[in-house]
Amino acid sequence: MAESVRPAGTAKPPLAATLRRIERTAGSLASSAVARMDETLPWFRALPADQRSWVMLVAQAGVRSLVEWLRSGGAVAATTQEISDEVFAAAPRALARSITLTQAVQLIKVTIDVAESEVGNLAAPGEEEALLQAILRYSREIAFSAARVYARAAESRGAWDARLQAMLVDALLRGDSSDVLASRAAALGWADAPPVAVVVGRSPGGEITSVLHAVYRAARRARLEVIGGVHGDRLVVVMGGVTDPAAGAAALAASFGEGPIVVGPAVPSLDQATESARAALAGFRAAGAWPGVPNPVAADDLLPERALAGDMAARRTLRHDVYGALSRAGGGLLETLDAFFAAGGVLESAARELYVHPNTVRYRLKRVAEVTRLSPLDGRDAFALRLAMTIGRLDPAS
């Protein structure tokens, strides 16, 4: 039997008698640990049978690893890491995705508690204290090994998620089928909570996984569901369950680089988000033409700049929703706008030109704002109205 007290500077001999005892009881020790987990951890009882069997494999591997660690004396760091890592190699990588790091620490604690409670039965006479100290040191190594396993899993998952999100963003911008979008979004755990809106801004630069991590951190604080991807020098973020897209974009603004942040219109679901993404991208390209553009800004607020930049969707919106709405409303609204703009925005001069009372002009301008949600008295809205009228008259048949 090995002595429990050794002269300083000598190598620690293996606990031969204790090792033989642990080897004989390895199976029952692992079973006792799993039984204690079942008693004390409610979440463990709720695990599927296959995952519980994986935990049993880990517990058994842990006991075998403890024996090897004790036999080596636990003196060589490289050997220690290699042995402790083998414990988690006994289970599929899927276990790291099914059980959180906190839960893994709870499992380790229960196993160590069981081993400590059995020290009196496991240790040979006179080796109880040495075995207890060895178990405590070994538990530290196992905890570090668990952290390494989860760190590697997180890095691998983060890199895969970044690639998958980039593919989803590309599919959105290309206008791929809803089936393609749905399958890729499902792989990312997207719940498709309505409404959905797309935000586009400049990427802050750096590692893509770090950029997306910042987006997710901000999204969690704002209680938003998001999928993000870096597309060239642009950061594209799909927001789900956002009733106020502008507020949602403002909550994520710190994750973007310098420059305008453009929010596409809200749509009912992800398979319609291509429309929102295209509007946001078109607005991002055209935002530089608006000095002092708000940040973030809605893509629909950039309709004039988008139309001048060649965005056909913006031209159609201005022609149909603004010029077409004024034409359908009748009541002299178009004629009143022509006179108002020709008079430089002077209401009385427009009234004289139209041979009507100034109050009639006021009423008609108010009707314009009601019909188009653009006020002729606001300089920015007046710009959009004039451009819409120009586009409408250039292509009235459409």
Side-chain angles (χ1 to χ4, degrees):
M1 182 183 301
E3 296 294 329
S4 59
V5 179
R6 292 170 299 280
T10 61
K12 178 182 177 182
L15 306 176
T18 297
L19 285 173
R20 286 194 296 272
R21 290 189 176 197
I22 296 175
E23 288 173 336
R24 286 196 300 269
T25 60
S28 61
L29 187 60
S31 298
S32 297
V34 174
R36 181 77 64 85
M37 295 172 194
D38 195 66
E39 292 174 4
T40 60
L41 302 175
W43 61 264
F44 179 77
R45 291 194 296 272
L47 286 178
D50 60 339
Q51 294 179 16
R52 288 163 61 91
S53 67
W54 293 343
V55 173
M56 182 66 178
L57 289 175
V58 172
Q60 291 172 344
V63 176
R64 291 194 302 270
S65 179
L66 173 61
V67 171
E68 293 300 320
W69 190 81
L70 291 172
R71 185 172 285 124
S72 70
V76 182
T79 303
T80 299
Q81 176 176 333
E82 181 180 328
I83 290 175
S84 59
D85 282 355
E86 287 178 357
V87 175
F88 295 96
R93 287 186 177 271
L95 184 63
R97 295 194 292 269
S98 304
I99 297 176
T100 66
L101 179 57
T102 300
Q103 291 171 336
V105 171
Q106 291 175 344
L107 295 179
I108 293 169
K109 184 178 184 303
V110 169
T111 304
I112 297 304
D113 288 346
V114 170
E116 288 180 1
S117 68
E118 294 293 325
V119 164
N121 299 324
L122 296 174
E127 296 182 345
E128 292 86 357
E129 183 62 25
L131 177 59
L132 180 60
Q133 293 302 318
I135 289 174
L136 292 177
R137 290 196 303 273
Y138 180 70
S139 67
R140 180 189 64 186
E141 297 300 329
I142 288 293
F144 287 153
S145 181
R148 285 192 294 270
V149 168
Y150 278 83
R152 287 195 295 264
E155 290 173 358
S156 176
R157 177 67 181 178
W160 168 247
D161 282 356
R163 289 194 295 271
L164 195 56
Q165 289 176 81
M167 292 169 65
L168 178 60
V169 168
D170 286 340
L172 271 178
L173 301 183
R174 288 195 307 267
D176 285 357
S177 70
S178 58
D179 290 341
V180 172
L181 295 175
S183 63
R184 290 179 179 169
L188 291 165
W190 174 264
D192 205 13
V196 174
V198 178
V199 186
V200 176
R202 198 167 301 282
S203 170
E207 188 69 27
I208 292 177
T209 53
S210 299
V211 172
L212 298 181
H213 180 69
V215 172
Y216 289 137
R217 190 167 57 244
R220 282 194 299 270
R221 288 196 296 265
R223 300 182 181 277
L224 293 174
E225 182 180 11
V226 298
I227 291 176
V230 176
H231 195 265
D233 65 341
R234 295 163 297 190
L235 173 59
V236 181
V237 179
V238 184
M239 303 184 298
V242 54
T243 54
D244 185 347
L252 303 178
S255 307
F256 289 84
E258 294 183 359
I261 300 171
V262 183
V263 191
V267 294
S269 63
L270 183 65
D271 59 3
Q272 297 170 282
T274 294
E275 173 190 340
S276 183
R278 287 175 174 168
L281 280 170
F284 178 76
R285 288 191 291 265
W290 181 358
V293 60
N295 212 18
V297 60
D300 285 351
D301 290 343
L302 288 160
L303 285 173
E305 288 79 10
R306 288 167 52 192
L308 291 172
D311 180 11
M312 297 307 297
R315 288 177 62 91
R316 284 193 298 270
T317 299
L318 288 172
R319 184 173 57 237
H320 182 271
D321 295 351
V322 180
Y323 177 79
L326 292 172
S327 298
R328 292 188 295 270
L333 299 187
L334 285 172
E335 294 81 357
T336 300
L337 279 177
D338 286 332
F340 182 70
F341 291 144
V346 179
L347 190 143
E348 289 76 9
S349 299
R352 286 194 297 271
E353 178 68 23
L354 295 168
Y355 299 102
V356 297
H357 193 277
N359 285 342
T360 301
V361 176
R362 289 191 182 92
Y363 170 77
R364 290 178 180 175
L365 296 181
K366 182 180 178 182
R367 280 285 297 147
V368 169
E370 292 172 351
V371 169
T372 65
R373 292 183 296 179
L374 296 170
S375 172
L377 303 179
D378 177 85
R380 175 74 192 171
D381 288 355
F383 171 48
L385 285 166
R386 297 187 72 166
L387 187 60
M389 292 165 67
T390 301
I391 292 172
R393 285 165 174 158
L394 284 173
D395 190 11
S398 297

